[in-house]
Amino acid sequence: MTKRTARATARANIALAKYWGKSDVALNLPAVPSISLTLDGLVTTTTVTFDETLAADVLELDGRPASAKETARATELLDRVRASMKAPSFARVVSANRFPTAAGLASSASGFAAMAGAAVHAAGLSWSDAKLSALARWSSASAGRSIFGGFAKLPAGVPGDAKLAAKPLFGEDHWDVRIVVAEAAKGPKKVGSTEGMERSRLTSPLYDAWVQNAPAITAVIEKALKKKDLDTLGAAMEQSTFAFHACAMSASPSILYWQPTTIAALRTVETLREKGTSAWATMDAGPHVKVLCHAADAAKVKRALAKTEGVLATMVCKPGARRLPER
Ligand code: ADP
């Protein structure tokens, strides 16, 4: 009996330049470039064991057997690894997200980055970061960025380019910023990112405008990141955020990820700025508000968000380091 096993840890990331929409659905290529910050606090740990006695892949997620859909997504990734194995077998995957799954806190990013790292290592393969990122990206575009620590960029994909991978821009020590997460609701979101993106692409009158404008916004963010110019970066990040949400809201049927608490937290961020604190908001495909600020302002921002009506919890995240296979 042969068992090959490996464990890997990956961290979620928050997009500063947002990703929304695919240029190639089959290859899961993004239609727009995105830039992310990998976060220290949002960790997934995954163990993959290739086991020839198994009759099918098995996924355990956060201590429960995963659904058929979740298991099928894992099998797709494992199949791409098995294609490079001499003696492929099914695998048992045990994964834990140390934060809410499917609630807009990018569990798919750290989830598929950790699974890619563990599966490739368990298979005994030595893949480059670019190859690992392309593998993770195929399962979840944001996962391609979570292969790296610090700040990473995923370019827009040209249809057919299966090798598209994220690139590291700066390490976690580049800039002492914080992301303060304000949890705005409990439970999984109603429309998953993949479905929301496809509906936006197919039905939103704002979709083409979003795709056309995103590269210019991303370029502003990349330049401001290099110069560590928080006000310029923050304003462009908010523009990127509101543009993609407008695109989702104007789909048919409309997709509104926000809750009343989301708006309340956005007002808190505005008030902080009016009072002189450089704090900037972003939201992903969910109701939570994530606020970018200088490390020195994080406690003040956290206090203001915690006092905001409806906010359930707050969490301060530092830039996170890369931490993949535990070789
Ligand atoms: P999120 O915003 O949390 O990333 P998505 O709807 O994009 O939400 O993705 C959630 C899906 O990602 C889950 O339903 C599951 O299929 C997959 N996923 C999340 N975490 C893991 C994990 N640790 N291991 C394997 N798959 C995961």
Side-chain angles (χ1 to χ4, degrees):
M1 191 174 72
T2 320
K3 277 193 192 175
R4 289 152 294 177
T5 191
R7 198 161 82 121
T9 297
R11 299 186 159 102
N13 66 76
I14 294 294
L16 309 176
K18 311 309 277 188
Y19 154 53
W20 192 250
K22 298 176 199 288
S23 63
D24 182 326
V25 174
L27 293 179
N28 198 37
L29 300 176
V32 297
S34 55
I35 293 177
S36 61
L37 169 56
T38 295
L39 298 177
D40 198 35
L42 307 178
V43 174
T44 296
T45 301
T46 300
T47 304
V48 173
T49 307
F50 288 102
D51 180 347
E52 61 188 21
T53 64
L54 291 172
D57 292 321
V58 181
L59 170 64
E60 183 190 309
L61 194 50
D62 295 329
R64 57 162 173 95
S67 68
K69 198 173 157 194
E70 289 165 336
T71 307
R73 280 185 82 175
T75 289
E76 282 178 22
L77 185 151
L78 294 165
D79 280 346
R80 290 177 191 123
V81 177
R82 280 191 281 256
S84 298
M85 288 170 76
K86 284 203 192 83
S89 63
F90 290 113
R92 180 181 308 283
V93 181
V94 178
S95 185
N97 298 325
R98 271 200 258 139
F99 54 97
T101 297
L105 280 172
S107 63
S108 58
S110 53
F112 288 108
M115 198 189 298
V120 166
H121 192 50
L125 303 164
S126 311
W127 284 11
S128 65
D129 282 353
K131 211 167 166 187
L132 211 51
S133 171
L135 172 69
R137 187 271 308 144
W138 205 333
S139 293
S140 160
S142 55
R145 301 184 311 238
S146 268
I147 294 296
F148 304 99
F151 301 85
K153 180 177 185 180
L154 179 61
V158 177
D161 180 12
K163 291 186 174 162
L164 182 81
K167 303 169 181 136
L169 287 177
F170 302 100
E172 67 277 13
D173 298 329
H174 171 66
W175 198 11
D176 204 15
V177 287
R178 295 290 181 269
I179 292 276
V180 186
V181 181
E183 192 183 1
K186 284 270 180 235
K189 61 198 174 198
K190 287 199 198 89
V191 183
S193 316
T194 302
E195 189 191 335
M197 286 184 199
E198 271 313 275
R199 197 189 296 172
S200 300
R201 182 174 74 88
L202 295 170
T203 68
S204 169
L206 301 187
Y207 183 78
D208 289 344
W210 154 249
V211 171
Q212 265 171 34
N213 284 290
I217 302 174
T218 303
V220 171
I221 290 174
E222 189 169 350
K223 225 164 137 184
L225 176 59
K226 192 171 177 193
K227 290 204 279 190
K228 304 180 204 172
D229 174 350
L230 186 58
D231 288 347
T232 302
L233 192 155
M237 178 180 79
E238 289 198 349
Q239 193 189 8
S240 175
T241 303
F242 287 115
F244 110 68
H245 277 278
C247 183
M249 283 179 209
S250 54
S252 175
S254 174
I255 308 160
L256 178 61
Y257 286 113
W258 302 354
Q259 294 292 338
T261 306
T262 311
I263 310 277
L266 288 171
R267 294 288 176 229
T268 296
V269 173
E270 259 179 22
T271 306
L272 279 163
R273 280 208 298 273
E274 279 160 18
K275 291 185 178 161
T277 302
S278 185
W280 303 90
T282 184
M283 291 87 68
D284 295 293
H288 314 300
V289 177
K290 295 119 186 190
V291 181
L292 179 69
C293 63
H294 290 296
D297 291 328
K300 190 200 301 176
V301 170
K302 181 179 159 70
R303 267 198 310 276
L305 287 169
K307 274 198 300 197
T308 301
E309 182 160 4
V311 168
L312 300 171
T314 54
M315 175 173 40
V316 177
C317 300
K318 293 198 282 196
R322 171 200 165 85
R323 212 178 131 209
L324 273 172
E326 296 172 1
R327 285 170 205 271

